Amino acid sequence: MEQRLDDISICENEKAVGKAAAKMIAQQIQQKPDSVLLLPTGRTPLDMYAYLVEMVNAGQVDLSRIATFNLDEFYGLPQDHPGTFRSYMQRVFFSQVQVPAERVHFLDSNAADPAAECDGYEQKIRERGGIDLAILGIGVNGHIGFNEPGSAFDSRTRLVPIREETRAANAFLFNDHLDKVPTHALTTGIGTILDAKKILLLATGRSKANAIHEMIHGDINPELPASALRMHSHVTVLLDSFAAPESQETGNRLVPQPGGD
Ligand code: PGA
């Protein structure tokens, strides 16, 4: 069992985090053109998707053989509601690149039988040969996907309640109407995420510094879901300087990386 996260880079700023993440994804696809990706939503990966679109348009990466699964989805909304992660992905990525539709997978925000939907999702991931690269953000409370504090490390894709602080963080997708943010979500589990061959976690902004500090230095504990990543041997963490914790007390030096090309 790994106890440390060794591959931690501090980038110059938020845009540099996005660019470094896009490059890592491109490298993954160059090495394995039929890579299976687990994709995040939220504010953090917006630059990553924008740079990836640029790289695709510049002919540097070919997405025609990849398969994608989204990390999570709100539950209880029509699929085409602008607040769903399916709609987000369409807006920021899939409308601008060519990925064959049959290779793009989402959890159904409107599934009549959520348990069957979640089991089917796990099955599809297995049929594609498993996740090669899981890309994650992190919540202020340390969640990954919608695996809120207390989620079991061996949890699989399932229906979960969303915590109030997480609903508030997602209100931007609902014109800042907190009452419109769903109370439940479907999420891949921590076990599903840990099965990925490689994991890339991105965090930007001061609000994430505490969760990042706990992930790196705190106990490995379901109360901080991201601490589960310390049990995985291929995790890369990309931070901007605001999200990077002060860590003199442990002597664990985080080395700033050049953010440019
Ligand atoms: P954010 O969300 O990128 O909007 O901060 C990250 C998360 O909650 O996982």
Side-chain angles (χ1 to χ4, degrees):
M1 182 190 285
E2 297 290 318
Q3 294 292 321
R4 286 180 55 116
L5 293 169
D6 288 325
D7 187 2
I8 301 174
S9 298
I10 304 176
C11 302
E12 227 168 73
N13 52 38
E14 201 176 2
K15 289 216 172 304
V17 170
K19 192 178 268 191
K23 280 187 181 167
M24 266 197 64
I25 297 172
Q27 269 168 10
Q28 168 67 39
I29 298 168
Q30 283 151 4
Q31 280 162 15
K32 184 172 186 282
D34 61 349
S35 285
V36 180
L37 306 177
L38 189 64
L39 296 177
T41 53
R43 292 179 197 266
T44 312
L46 287 170
D47 287 321
M48 175 187 88
Y49 287 121
Y51 283 117
L52 197 52
V53 168
E54 274 184 22
M55 293 179 84
V56 172
N57 290 338
Q60 292 164 4
V61 56
D62 171 12
L63 305 180
S64 63
R65 292 178 57 201
I66 66 166
T68 70
F69 289 85
N70 262 74
L71 187 61
D72 49 13
E73 180 59 285
F74 289 116
Y75 183 63
L77 292 176
Q79 289 185 359
D80 62 356
H81 186 289
T84 63
F85 292 159
R86 182 186 300 251
S87 299
Y88 168 108
M89 289 303 296
Q90 201 56 35
R91 275 195 304 275
V92 309
F93 191 55
F94 289 120
S95 60
Q96 298 167 69
V97 295
Q98 301 287 329
V99 182
E102 69 278 10
R103 305 179 72 81
V104 174
H105 305 279
F106 293 104
L107 285 155
D108 179 1
S109 58
N110 205 21
D113 182 345
E117 172 68 15
C118 292
D119 290 349
Y121 206 61
E122 291 272 343
Q123 173 73 24
K124 278 185 242 165
I125 292 173
R126 279 195 298 275
E127 283 167 10
R128 290 278 183 203
I131 305 291
D132 291 296
L133 177 63
I135 303 122
L136 312 173
I138 184 170
V140 169
N141 63 14
H143 72 208
I144 47 177
F146 275 121
N147 294 286
E148 300 281 32
S151 298
F153 284 175
D154 62 357
S155 53
R156 309 304 304 189
T157 305
R158 68 205 186 288
L159 177 67
V160 292
I162 310 176
R163 290 219 180 176
E164 284 312 302
E165 65 267 27
T166 306
R167 292 185 64 235
N170 279 282
F172 76 99
L173 287 167
F174 298 85
N175 295 324
D176 292 327
H177 290 127
L178 181 57
D179 56 315
K180 299 271 194 305
V181 183
T183 56
H184 287 74
L186 306 177
T187 185
T188 52
I190 297 180
T192 321
I193 293 167
L194 291 179
D195 281 349
K197 293 181 188 76
K198 290 184 221 155
I199 298 174
L200 169 61
L201 182 136
L202 316 179
T204 58
R206 205 175 299 285
S207 68
K208 304 294 174 66
N210 188 51
I212 291 292
H213 182 273
E214 289 301 308
M215 173 182 80
I216 298 171
H217 302 294
D219 292 338
I220 297 179
N221 182 329
E223 286 310 309
L224 203 288
S227 68
L229 302 182
R230 302 225 310 266
M231 303 190 301
H232 194 284
S233 52
H234 286 97
V235 179
T236 298
V237 179
L238 295 176
L239 308 174
D240 70 357
S241 56
F242 296 109
E246 305 286 342
S247 53
Q248 294 89 338
E249 75 274 17
T250 62
N252 185 4
R253 264 166 49 82
L254 302 179
V255 183
Q257 301 291 306
D261 286 333

